[in-house]
Amino acid sequence: MNKKMTINSIQKTKGIRPLVMITAYDALFAKLFEDSVDMILVGDSLNMSFAGRKDTLTATMQQMIYHTNAVCNGAKNTFVVCDMPFGTYTNKKDALKNAIKVFQQTDADCVKIEGGADKADIVKHLVDNGIAVCGHIGLLPQSVRGEGGYKVKGRDPKEQQQLIEDARAIEEAGAFCMVIEGVISEVASEVASCIDIPVIGIGAGSDVDGQVLVFSDMLGLFEEFTPKFVKKYINGATLVKESVKRYSNEVKTREFPEDMHTY
Ligand code: KIV
């Protein structure tokens, strides 16, 4: 069994080796992932791939706490990050109240917050009150309705400068690491090189301090849409559908159950 990562050991990987993060929403998958990853993210992406909603914005604290408990139960030896859902950290008071709920009602090791310099005061308030924070800059899925779509960041000098300012502000506020999403590779690389905490990329190229993928994307379980940055390691949807089809046929033909499955 691997040794569970800590904030300290996560930070020490910077410049040494890339961090491996994956999402999970339940105990079953969390347990399967545990031996191969450094960190599990209970992302609010669960609202899309688990709950079937169109985006992450309708995820609730109740949902995040339920799924974080399931993941912590399945992966007791892994560092778990719980996403703070949209609208739960718009001011310092609410952010602290909701982050405390995560720490009191689950075994999560930190919370994740979307936003850059505009959220630095909130990150600082949480850190000052004993809550470990993972930042999330670049393309922010919780801003999809406000921005009118998922837009890759860092294409022009103004956005590039903003990303660097965001990263510096979140680091200075006390976040111990951050996710950078949907950013031009060279810009993400520059962001990672100008701060001292690990920058974990998704759709941000290879020259950052780690990678995170949504598990249902990389296992090929989510069929509707595959973003360019996703590598499908197996075609999970086909495997699942073929297996259930075989089961269905075998039940109908009475091939299943066999003697070996019978008391
Ligand atoms: O919710 C999520 O799964 C995330 C990842 C896309 C980083 O925030």
Side-chain angles (χ1 to χ4, degrees):
M1 191 189 277
N2 292 338
K3 197 161 179 266
K4 180 173 170 170
M5 298 293 278
T6 61
I7 286 171
N8 204 12
S9 63
I10 287 167
Q11 290 192 307
K12 279 190 178 151
T13 61
K14 177 117 183 165
I16 308 285
R17 66 152 181 100
L19 284 163
V20 185
M21 187 194 254
I22 192 167
T23 67
Y25 314 132
D26 63 34
L28 183 70
F29 277 99
K31 204 175 175 72
L32 294 175
F33 303 156
E34 169 147 64
D35 285 343
S36 306
V37 302
D38 296 309
M39 303 160 90
I40 294 182
L41 167 63
V42 188
D44 58 357
S45 54
L46 65 83
N47 203 45
M48 299 166 77
S49 54
F50 184 87
R53 304 297 294 261
K54 69 169 183 171
D55 56 32
T56 61
L57 276 75
T58 48
T60 63
M61 282 303 299
Q62 205 185 1
Q63 254 178 305
M64 296 313 300
I65 284 170
Y66 175 83
H67 287 279
T68 300
N69 273 320
V71 167
C72 292
N73 290 341
K76 294 197 168 54
N77 201 39
T78 305
F79 191 97
V80 173
V81 182
C82 171
D83 243 346
M84 297 287 288
F86 176 69
T88 62
Y89 54 96
T90 51
N91 57 63
K92 289 199 238 178
K93 190 165 167 251
D94 285 355
L96 185 58
K97 186 185 79 191
N98 288 316
I100 284 175
K101 266 191 204 163
V102 173
F103 269 27
Q104 283 184 333
Q105 296 178 30
T106 80
D107 288 332
D109 297 285
C110 76
V111 298
K112 178 165 80 60
I113 277 186
E114 290 185 13
D118 58 324
K119 289 286 182 296
D121 62 331
I122 286 172
V123 172
K124 185 172 182 328
H125 190 56
L126 296 187
V127 174
D128 286 349
N129 283 279
I131 311 279
V133 178
C134 168
H136 183 152
I137 64 167
L139 185 159
L140 306 178
Q142 291 179 8
S143 303
V144 62
R145 294 193 205 169
E147 293 199 356
Y150 296 98
K151 296 188 180 140
V152 173
K153 304 284 174 179
R155 291 199 194 276
D156 61 56
K158 199 170 152 227
E159 272 185 5
Q160 292 166 14
Q161 192 49 39
Q162 185 62 55
L163 283 162
I164 290 172
E165 277 169 29
D166 286 342
R168 287 196 171 129
I170 293 301
E171 176 180 41
E172 208 176 297
F176 73 97
C177 75
M178 71 185 70
V179 166
I180 188 165
E181 177 167 2
V183 169
I184 302 292
S185 171
E186 297 77 52
V187 180
S189 164
E190 199 186 332
V191 167
S193 69
C194 75
I195 59 173
D196 291 329
I197 59 174
V199 176
I200 302 170
I202 175 164
S206 61
D207 197 17
V208 284
D209 307 311
Q211 297 292 327
V212 53
L213 279 179
V214 171
F215 87 92
S216 42
D217 288 340
M218 58 84 71
L219 295 182
L221 291 165
F222 190 69
E223 286 190 297
E224 272 96 283
F225 171 68
T226 308
K228 178 180 163 70
F229 60 82
V230 170
K231 177 169 176 178
K232 282 191 185 180
Y233 285 82
I234 57 167
N235 203 332
T238 306
L239 289 177
V240 169
K241 284 200 259 186
E242 281 174 2
S243 305
V244 178
K245 184 72 151 181
R246 271 178 49 214
Y247 164 65
S248 170
N249 288 339
E250 289 187 10
V251 169
K252 288 174 194 157
T253 58
R254 296 193 186 278
E255 275 171 82
F256 175 82
E258 298 165 46
D259 284 351
M260 65 191 289
H261 310 119
T262 307
Y263 294 108

